Amino acid sequence: MSSWLRSCHTVVALRGLRCPTSVRNRRTQAVLRCCSTVQGEVRVRFAPSPTGFLHLGGLRTALYNYIFAKKYGGSFILRLEDTDQSRLVPGAAESIEDMLEWAGIPPDESPRRGGAAGPYLQSQRLDLYSQTALQLVESGHAYYCFCSSQRLELLKKEALRSGQTPRYDNRCRHLRAEQVQQKLAQGTPHVIRFRLETGVEPFQDLIFGWNRHEVAEVEGDPVVMKADGFPTYHLANIVDDHHMKVSHVLRGSEWLISTSKHLLMYSALGWQAPTFGHLPLLMNKDGSKLSKRQGDIFIQSFQRDGVLPEALLDITTNCGSGFNTTRMGRKIDELISEFNPSKITTHSALLDLEKLPEFNKIHLEQRIEDEEQCRLLINDLQGQIRQTYTAEIQDQEVLHEDYIRRVLHLRKGHISALKELLSPVYSYLWVRPSVSSQQVAALTAEAHQIASSVLKLIEERGEELAVDRLNKDLKTLAKQAKATKYREVMKLLRLALSGLQQGPSVAEMMVSLGPAEISHRFQKLLQLSETS
């Protein structure tokens, strides 16, 4: 039995939910559905700190939470843990929610959307944390600590000097009640620390299986309420998860070692803990840590560079685990249907961003083939064409919907991003090229004859132009030249159409431009050939 299933049965037993024997005999998915139900509802959360903008590692954590919620008919909550006021980045809170919406994984409850369990900004829940911290003090599970920052720094330096891991020595947990009251009455600055006790109960992680970290043996008592009245992560996250009725906490594996500490706090408060699942880390393809200092891992950077959100979701799940297949081109609905928690492994997910253009190409092609999505692409491209080629466009026909749609369908499977169509290689689609008589003369002395043949061909074909048919027609046309080889004929046609010697096939160029524009460009070639 997988660790996930073992955990599911453990959860059912702990929560007093009944899982009929018959269910255990059905296929895995049925068991998962039964055992993932917590008090009738699955509620998961993504709780980033707005001390920076959303990056790929954060998006991946949010994505797994979103997929888990949708797979089991639950709710996906966005909670912003903004208690570290000194490190907040202006605009980051709004941007995180913007990027989740852009990525197609919007939260059901959030600072922007609201919800019954709000507010969803921790800075607006300070009274709740203060009450809980005082509850811990009154029950003897926490205490006031009056140690100065200078003393704590000396402890740290001494530990490092002797080769030990720095830890608080729990000095203030031994203060007598009258000493505490005296210091409080004097207004001595203080924090509140939680008493770590030995004898931690093991817990079953959904991914890493049975775990137990005897935190009291390696750590000093942690601060749960800072001197400024703000809680630390360790207190705030368990208070919020409890009051927001979070059923499953799916977070990065770097938090696995802290879970025993959090479970001690749940126990001290008499609260039922959620089920924990720690996701393996997202790493670079060489196994190095994905760093926020890599400017290109921020979601805004991908959005700016024309990466499609579906491609980002696809590549981050493709390189990880938890799905029945790893095929490319999956959209969010397919990711949800193919999600299989029992397949999440403990191995780090190695991300190869060099493959992202290939993912983007596949998803761009899917968008082009979808009529509604294609219309959105056309609107987007129209704006970009106007912005890039403002004063150079000679014919407004290039901005028409039908023209751009034809270009997109011809180029699908060849381009990785929409912005490629704005590069110099494709400028001929939007702006008539500048060609000199010297360029023409350098290729052939039969330019006039060849141009006339093309004009005649286009007149005969009318509006019905197709790449395959044109390829055959152009081969026949090239044979009619007396002294010009096929290769030079095609170079001449490409030059007249685009002013370049690279790009799509000549036939595709012609189909893209259409009969009227082809005629215009070859009339110009006729004029040039007469003067050369």
Side-chain angles (χ1 to χ4, degrees), residues 5 46 57 125 170 181 205 230 247 280 320 346 411 418 429 453 514:
L5 290 178
F46 174 53
R125 301 168 67 86
N170 298 348
Q181 290 305 317
D205 188 82
F230 279 81
S247 63
T346 59
R411 282 285 84 195
L418 210 57
L429 289 167
S453 298

Side-chain angles (χ1 to χ4, degrees), residues 65 165 174 224 236 246 264 266 314 336 349 494 513:
N65 275 279
T165 302
H174 306 295
V224 292
V246 170
L264 283 173
Y266 275 107
D314 196 7
I336 292 168
R494 186 180 289 276
L513 293 169

Side-chain angles (χ1 to χ4, degrees), residues 117-366:
Y120 297 91
L121 283 170
Q122 285 188 336
S123 57
Q124 296 175 6
R125 301 168 67 86
L126 298 183
D127 287 346
L128 191 57
Y129 309 132
S130 296
Q131 292 166 17
T132 308
L134 289 175
Q135 181 182 336
L136 287 170
V137 171
E138 289 167 2
S139 65
H141 290 99
Y143 59 91
Y144 294 103
C145 172
F146 303 93
C147 291
S148 66
S149 56
Q150 291 87 346
R151 180 177 186 273
L152 295 175
E153 187 61 30
L154 285 173
L155 279 176
K156 180 180 178 181
K157 287 181 178 178
E158 183 59 34
L160 293 173
R161 191 180 299 116
S162 59
Q164 297 178 336
T165 302
R167 56 185 289 187
Y168 178 57
D169 60 0
N170 298 348
R171 176 183 179 180
C172 287
R173 86 151 58 184
H174 306 295
L175 291 175
R176 298 189 306 275
E178 59 268 23
Q179 290 176 296
V180 172
Q181 290 305 317
Q182 182 182 2
K183 288 181 179 293
L184 290 175
Q186 293 171 348
T188 307
H190 62 273
V191 298
I192 296 178
R193 291 182 181 270
F194 178 72
R195 291 178 186 269
L196 292 179
E197 304 293 350
T198 55
V200 171
E201 290 292 326
F203 68 95
Q204 178 81 326
D205 188 82
L206 297 179
I207 296 159
F208 284 80
W210 285 107
N211 265 266
R212 179 176 176 272
H213 298 95
E214 198 60 78
V215 283
E217 294 180 0
V218 293
E219 295 183 34
D221 292 336
V223 174
V224 292
M225 187 64 70
K226 295 179 286 188
D228 62 3
F230 279 81
T232 61
Y233 170 83
H234 299 297
L235 177 68
N237 96 89
I238 72 156
V239 170
D240 287 342
D241 286 345
H242 171 72
H243 285 280
M244 291 180 179
K245 296 181 172 61
V246 170
S247 63
H248 294 75
V249 172
L250 304 180
R251 59 188 179 185
S253 58
E254 68 270 24
W255 292 108
L256 182 61
I257 199 168
S258 297
T259 305
S260 287
K261 184 189 307 179
H262 297 158
L263 289 172
L264 283 173
M265 294 173 73
Y266 275 107
S267 178
L269 289 162
W271 293 346
Q272 192 169 324
T275 302
F276 290 91
H278 289 85
L279 301 166
L281 294 178
L282 187 64
M283 313 281 277
N284 291 311
K285 66 175 181 178
D286 61 1
S288 62
K289 190 175 180 181
L290 205 65
S291 171
K292 294 180 185 179
R293 285 186 288 273
Q294 295 170 238
D296 59 353
I297 71 162
F298 288 97
I299 307 307
Q300 285 177 313
S301 300
F302 293 108
Q303 181 192 37
R304 185 181 60 245
D305 292 342
V307 175
L308 297 176
E310 310 95 278
L312 271 186
L313 301 187
D314 196 7
I315 195 171
T316 52
T317 51
N318 186 278
C319 72
S321 56
F323 298 86
N324 290 324
T325 72
T326 55
R327 61 188 176 83
M328 297 169 69
R330 297 169 299 170
K331 298 178 183 177
I332 188 65
D333 289 345
E334 294 168 296
L335 291 174
I336 292 168
S337 66
E338 293 182 14
F339 181 56
N340 186 344
S342 66
K343 288 186 177 291
I344 300 178
T345 69
T346 59
H347 305 301
S348 295
L350 302 182
L351 178 68
D352 185 359
L353 284 176
E354 291 178 6
K355 293 181 179 178
L356 185 55
E358 186 62 28
F359 279 85
N360 214 54
K361 181 186 293 183
I362 291 169
H363 285 281
L364 181 58
E365 185 172 356
Q366 289 179 354

